[in-house]
Amino acid sequence: MLEARGALEAVVRGRLSTRELDRLATGRDLWPLTLLWLRQGKVPPPPDAVVWPGTDDEVASVVRIARERRLALIPFGAGSGVCGGTLAVHGGVMVDLKRFDTIGPVDPVRRCVDVGAGVMGETLERRLAARGWTLGHFPSSIGMSTVGGWLAARSAGQLSSRYGKIEDMVLSVRGVLGTGERFETPERPFDGPDVAQVLLGSEGTLCVFTGARLRVHPRPEARVFRAFEVPSVERGLEAIRRVFREGLRPAVVRLYDPFDTTFVGRAKPASPRKAPSKRSALEATVLPGVLKRLAIETLGRPGLVNPLTRLATRSRLIFMCEGEAKHAAAEDRAIAAACLSMGGVDLGEGPGREWYRKRYDVNARLPRLMEAGTFIDTMEVSAPWDAVFEVYERVREVAGAYALVLCHFSHAYADGCSLYFSFVGSGRTEAEIEDRYQQLWRAALGAATSAGANVSHHHGIGLLKARAYQDSLGEGRHALATLKRLFDPDGILNPGKLGL
Amino acid sequence: MKTLLQALGPVAQAVGDGLVLRPASERELVAVLAVLRDRQASLGAEVMLDRSALARLGAVQDRAMTLEAGAGVPVRVVESKANHARLTLGPLSPMAWEASVGELVEHPALAFRAVVPGRLEPIAAGITGVLADGHLVRSAVGPRHAAGPDLASLLVGGGGALGLVTAAVLRLMPLHDAEQRRLFSFGTFAQALEATREALSAGVTFARAVLRGRAGRTVGEYTLRGAAAQVDRELELLARCAEHVGGRFEGLGREAEVDGPEREASWADLASALGHGGSVELFRPALTSVIARGVAAHEFIPPGPLFKGLRAAFDRSHVLGRGP
Ligand SMILES: Cc1cc2nc3c(=O)[nH]c(=O)nc-3n(C[C@H](O)[C@H](O)[C@H](O)COP(=O)(O)OP(=O)(O)OC[C@H]3O[C@@H](n4cnc5c(N)ncnc54)[C@H](O)[C@@H]3O)c2cc1C
């Protein structure tokens, strides 16, 4: 790396750093396993340097230098990935795309906008909203993820049941291949395969995205919320299936299993935040210890706690329709009819509004729980309607041996939906916790895929699911390997990810 | 030809001066491609591939609304089976109804259907196919291809340039009898197009539409199909979208048609056709593109370097002899 430093520094006009702080800041993402390591004082392998190119030509030059010197390059968005996608397992250079931060004017006739890969999600939505438009892409991590990261991991937003996943919003993508060639995919109509779909989801292993042309829609005139209590998960799933079969397209659909239902959409009076300095000694010193003890006693024994969660049966189902006001209201009425026919009890708009108000809160809550000596992770897969309930039951059964298991169902389609499991576990020692975490993932993902689910719905593969992903491809592995040879012949782009 | 015929075995049949190859399974197709590669022969007018023996038709999966069919099954046969279960492949363009499953799923435009709000999704929820290099691709059947590069997209909509589909799990939708038409007139063709885009973006899913000039105005006749309640909801929405851009309700319309070949077209292509005083008929209308009659053929756009690279990687010996 040291020999390449001068050449790299020249092409990125000095925007290169080997400072420890920069290397540590980009050398990991939010993969919970790395959070466990940090708690133990272990640091994931950092890159040798970070560069901040600002043009496609600069990225192309960086790639060419890396090819000559056989240096690994890891594209970096904002590091909000949860699968270890930005870990520098082979060292190398982190390519931070944040300087690709332009948002072009909205073309109102073609309803699209050109966006740089480094634009943060929240900035993009805010800018579009100010001009009367929306992308319709609202991942929970919108405040800490970039457009490039979305493209690279096939991200899904909370309103995907209407607007689709990010790959449905793409008109074309541009960037640089591992060969150093710049590319821009064609827009429809074109002959031959849709090359953009071959590159999307490649998690930095085939190309570096520098920008995209994305579809936008007028901002919705109205939002209509409605929640139901349904007698069981099966009934709730059947209600969603019927809603989609009838051609209704609510923007939000979320069915919480009975245990998850106890955590969702409950309005709590907002307590005034105290400045950290005013925290009482009890809160600051005694409470963490008590929490830790509690975590080990409860979450460390999931075999005892999980059966208790089966005592509850009623589930909460939330819908939100948006768009033209009268149409949204008409869709809402039709949804209500479908849900009532499945034995649902109408809870009105309150729980839905409450969920909407708190829809990004998960970001803040996560680290606190981790501090208390637990591990927390989420697994999101999707399955056809025939398999959804089976996947739910099987994963709960096997994962229940290692962690507390909660699940909600969202991102619905006419032919199936996504299942989003949350796992919370603990153990007596850090080593035991990590061991349990690894076993949990192997068991849970194995159970999900053998019951008919895919490997991931929107978090991507990274290192975490690389083995399962490769297994799921079967003979398709050859096609992936051919793509890798074609687009990244020296294997310099994000080595180790996707099992490549 | 003779030696090729011998090498191919019973899968091949001499017809006139050429050969017709009729594989009945993926395995046979893989073997056929291997022989062609070995002998540096390619598919084309002389060595024709007939996929009609890939004729397996699975059972309708009612809950997921899908049906698996071999590449050689005619689309109309799939539709008939779906109809027995009160399901349908949906409003397809006339060309799509004449295709086989393989042709449908490989076609760059027909392989996709329009869904709310004006976006496209593959008609196939999963595919099995053989790449030109002889490797199989089998995509998992599910509501989404979700993680990693979409390997199925090498074949789906790929025009048969990189590989051939042998079977597909097709997405169906409920079969409903309700069909209604509405006619609106607009001051300009640009307004008519804007109203159509606005309706798509707002959530209208019309089966077809005809836009044409009449007495100095542009009229749009929209046909909606689906469940009665859904059609009613979307008709109201369509009316509000049309009025929003200055459209005037003109009645229920009568089934108009436009002659000419079907093509995938952009909205600029539609504007150009209407601007030259023509009429256009839209099937599979989406914001991304439409399938239309009445639009001029595209200028030939040479395949981009990415595509050329893919072709070189997967079909180095040009065994498929196809593609743009
Ligand atoms: C609390 C929380 C909530 C989340 N909620 C959601 C959610 O609702 N929906 C969802 O989809 N995801 C969610 N995620 C996951 C994460 O936000 C997404 O995976 C997101 O797409 C990552 O974007 P990023 O810019 O942070 O990418 P990074 O984490 O920096 O990178 C992710 C992967 O993409 C590659 N990459 C990044 N930029 C580029 C580029 N320009 N070109 C090529 N490759 C690139 C990286 O090398 C890496 O492999 C959540 C994460 C957290 C922590």
Side-chain angles (χ1 to χ4, degrees):
Chain A
M1 161 59 211
L2 279 177
E3 315 92 78
R5 184 184 175 132
L8 284 171
E9 213 155 22
V11 299
V12 296
R13 294 156 204 267
R15 292 191 174 89
L16 176 145
S17 170
T18 49
R19 281 176 32 198
E20 193 176 23
L21 189 64
D22 290 324
R23 295 192 297 122
L24 289 178
T26 53
R28 67 180 194 83
D29 59 7
L30 292 178
W31 183 14
L33 181 63
T34 58
L35 299 182
L36 293 186
W37 290 346
L38 290 176
R39 206 166 64 193
Q40 299 167 44
K42 291 194 271 184
V43 179
D48 301 311
V50 186
V51 292
W52 288 271
T55 64
D56 288 38
D57 279 337
E58 286 181 16
V59 175
S61 299
V62 168
V63 173
R64 275 193 290 271
I65 294 167
R67 281 192 79 182
E68 280 162 21
R69 320 271 167 126
R70 290 287 195 275
L71 274 178
L73 294 180
I74 304 127
F76 184 83
S80 72
V82 287
C83 304
T86 56
L87 261 64
V89 280
H90 296 272
V93 179
M94 198 63 72
V95 184
D96 190 334
L97 277 302
K98 291 288 188 333
R99 289 180 61 228
F100 289 83
D101 60 354
T102 51
I103 302 175
V106 172
D107 180 335
V109 176
R110 303 189 54 223
R111 293 169 185 245
C112 61
V113 64
D114 285 337
V115 187
V119 171
M120 298 293 291
E122 199 176 1
T123 311
L124 175 59
E125 255 318 315
R126 222 178 308 118
R127 292 272 193 88
L128 289 174
R131 302 177 207 169
W133 298 90
T134 180
L135 180 63
H137 190 67
F138 298 89
S140 306
S141 55
I142 192 166
M144 51 167 158
S145 56
T146 62
V147 170
W150 296 346
L151 300 171
R154 290 183 176 263
S155 162
Q158 292 164 347
L159 274 52
S160 77
S161 295
R162 181 178 179 87
Y163 296 102
K165 293 181 70 198
I166 191 70
E167 58 263 39
D168 301 312
M169 301 167 189
V170 165
L171 301 188
S172 80
V173 286
R174 57 164 225 273
V176 177
L177 299 170
T179 53
E181 284 164 278
R182 293 175 51 174
F183 70 87
E184 180 158 10
T185 60
E187 281 184 53
R188 283 192 171 277
F190 48 70
D191 281 331
D194 187 349
V195 190
Q197 294 300 327
V198 176
L199 295 172
L200 292 167
S202 55
E203 300 187 26
T205 62
L206 301 179
C207 69
V208 180
F209 293 112
T210 55
R213 178 164 297 164
L214 302 173
R215 160 85 54 238
V216 292
H217 297 274
R219 281 196 81 194
E221 187 181 288
R223 293 202 172 99
V224 185
F225 296 88
R226 194 183 290 263
F228 300 88
E229 190 176 74
V230 284
S232 64
V233 166
E234 288 112 306
R235 290 289 195 94
L237 287 171
E238 185 58 15
I240 299 174
R241 195 181 69 83
R242 288 194 186 180
V243 161
F244 277 76
R245 196 176 173 111
E246 284 176 25
L248 296 155
R249 289 294 175 270
V252 173
V253 183
R254 297 175 82 87
L255 171 68
Y256 295 87
D257 78 355
F259 190 34
D260 213 349
T261 291
T262 54
F263 294 100
V264 70
R266 305 226 177 276
K268 270 190 237 134
S271 55
R273 266 176 190 265
K274 285 183 242 164
S277 59
K278 288 189 187 158
R279 270 188 172 189
S280 68
L282 178 79
E283 214 178 325
T285 55
V286 182
L287 210 57
V290 174
L291 275 176
K292 194 163 186 169
R293 187 83 231 140
L294 245 149
I296 294 166
E297 292 306 326
T298 53
L299 302 171
R301 299 176 192 193
L304 292 179
V305 183
N306 274 314
L308 295 177
T309 67
R310 297 206 174 231
L311 297 176
T313 55
R314 302 189 79 78
S315 284
R316 182 160 297 184
L317 179 53
I318 288 175
F319 289 97
M320 188 267 273
C321 297
E322 72 169 38
E324 196 264 351
K326 286 186 180 156
H327 188 64
E331 285 209 303
D332 172 63
R333 283 194 297 276
I335 287 169
C339 292
L340 295 176
S341 78
M342 292 309 301
V345 177
D346 192 341
L347 302 176
E349 62 170 11
R353 284 205 178 278
E354 191 59 18
W355 166 80
Y356 193 71
R357 194 172 69 77
K358 292 187 181 163
R359 65 197 184 283
Y360 303 131
D361 273 10
V362 58
N363 305 352
R365 274 213 311 254
L366 210 128
R368 270 244 211 119
L369 271 164
M370 295 283 283
E371 274 168 29
T374 65
F375 68 77
I376 304 164
D377 208 345
T378 56
M379 182 180 89
E380 30 58 64
V381 295
S382 63
W385 284 121
D386 284 331
V388 172
F389 191 69
E390 174 78 2
V391 173
Y392 170 64
E393 287 285 51
R394 294 267 287 275
V395 171
R396 277 209 316 165
E397 195 181 311
V398 303
Y402 308 101
L404 214 61
V405 186
L406 297 78
C407 180
H408 72 256
F409 306 80
S410 51
H411 310 288
Y413 306 90
D415 47 346
C417 76
S418 143
L419 300 89
Y420 191 97
F421 293 95
S422 300
F423 305 123
V424 190
S426 189
R428 275 161 311 192
T429 62
E430 290 291 346
E432 188 180 276
I433 292 175
E434 189 174 327
D435 197 39
R436 223 173 243 191
Y437 175 87
Q438 303 276 17
Q439 291 182 44
L440 164 76
W441 262 101
R442 267 196 301 277
L445 199 50
T449 51
S450 64
N454 62 7
V455 174
S456 164
H457 179 261
H458 59 265
H459 282 168
I461 306 296
L463 291 174
L464 172 65
K465 300 170 217 165
R467 165 80 69 80
Y469 171 63
Q470 287 280 337
D471 287 350
S472 75
L473 291 178
E475 207 180 326
R477 263 195 297 247
H478 293 287
L480 184 64
T482 304
L483 291 176
K484 181 73 175 170
R485 273 196 306 277
L486 173 65
F487 294 137
D488 181 22
D490 299 313
I492 52 163
L493 288 185
N494 213 0
K497 314 301 155 49
L498 304 185
L500 288 171
Chain B
M1 273 308 160
K2 229 177 182 174
T3 52
L4 191 57
L5 181 67
Q6 276 165 357
L8 285 162
V11 166
Q13 217 183 340
V15 176
D17 290 341
L19 297 180
V20 174
L21 316 179
R22 204 167 281 125
S25 67
E26 279 139 36
R27 203 167 291 209
E28 285 187 7
L29 181 57
V30 169
V32 160
L33 294 178
V35 171
L36 294 180
R37 271 197 311 274
D38 273 1
R39 318 250 151 173
Q40 286 169 2
S42 39
L43 296 171
E46 287 188 347
V47 183
M48 291 203 299
L49 180 72
D50 173 355
R51 280 183 279 177
S52 60
L54 295 166
R56 212 171 64 78
L57 188 56
V60 170
Q61 302 300 314
D62 183 64
R63 290 175 60 77
M65 294 195 291
T66 55
L67 171 56
E68 183 168 15
V73 179
V75 167
R76 283 191 190 282
V77 171
V78 175
E79 176 67 1
S80 156
K81 180 144 190 183
N83 288 173
H84 277 112
R86 300 295 300 157
L87 295 169
T88 172
L89 281 161
L92 301 183
S93 73
M95 198 158 89
W97 290 119
E98 301 311 321
S100 67
V101 167
E103 289 161 348
L104 179 81
V105 171
E106 283 166 11
H107 192 282
L110 303 183
F112 302 91
R113 65 181 193 185
V115 293
V116 169
R119 56 188 167 90
L120 294 178
E121 83 174 2
I123 286 182
I127 55 118
T128 306
V130 180
L131 286 162
D133 64 8
H135 287 301
L136 282 184
V137 170
R138 202 185 299 272
S139 66
V141 180
R144 289 303 301 192
H145 166 79
D150 183 2
L151 301 177
S153 71
L154 295 169
L155 302 178
V156 174
L162 304 175
L164 299 165
V165 169
T166 53
V169 176
L170 299 168
R171 296 192 159 105
L172 306 171
M173 54 178 74
L175 177 67
H176 293 294
D177 300 330
E179 176 171 307
Q180 295 214 43
R181 262 189 301 281
R182 290 291 185 274
L183 196 69
F184 295 92
S185 75
F186 303 89
T188 63
F189 70 80
Q191 281 178 343
L193 289 174
E194 182 56 16
T196 311
R197 280 192 297 262
E198 179 132 348
L200 287 171
S201 190
V204 178
T205 48
F206 37 87
R208 51 190 281 283
V210 173
L211 306 179
R212 62 202 145 94
R214 199 174 70 185
R217 291 175 70 82
T218 301
V219 294
E221 186 199 271
Y222 302 90
T223 306
L224 279 76
R225 215 174 282 153
Q230 180 191 359
V231 170
D232 286 348
R233 272 194 312 270
E234 293 189 9
L235 280 176
E236 286 180 19
L237 181 59
L238 172 65
R240 289 193 290 271
C241 292
E243 280 154 21
H244 185 233
V245 289
R248 216 165 51 200
F249 176 60
E250 299 280 2
L252 302 185
R254 56 181 173 82
E255 182 132 25
E257 276 185 21
V258 174
D259 286 335
E262 275 172 41
R263 296 197 170 92
E264 187 176 16
S266 67
W267 289 84
D269 295 331
L270 298 178
S272 163
L274 291 168
H276 285 93
S279 304
V280 292
E281 182 171 8
L282 320 185
F283 309 98
R284 199 220 64 189
L287 290 170
T288 321
S289 72
V290 301
I291 294 177
R293 280 185 184 154
V295 290
H298 271 284
E299 272 181 46
F300 179 69
I301 307 167
L306 284 175
F307 175 69
K308 280 193 192 149
L310 287 170
R311 186 103 173 263
F314 287 104
D315 192 12
R316 200 167 306 154
S317 46
H318 292 280
V319 69
L320 296 179
R322 282 221 282 196

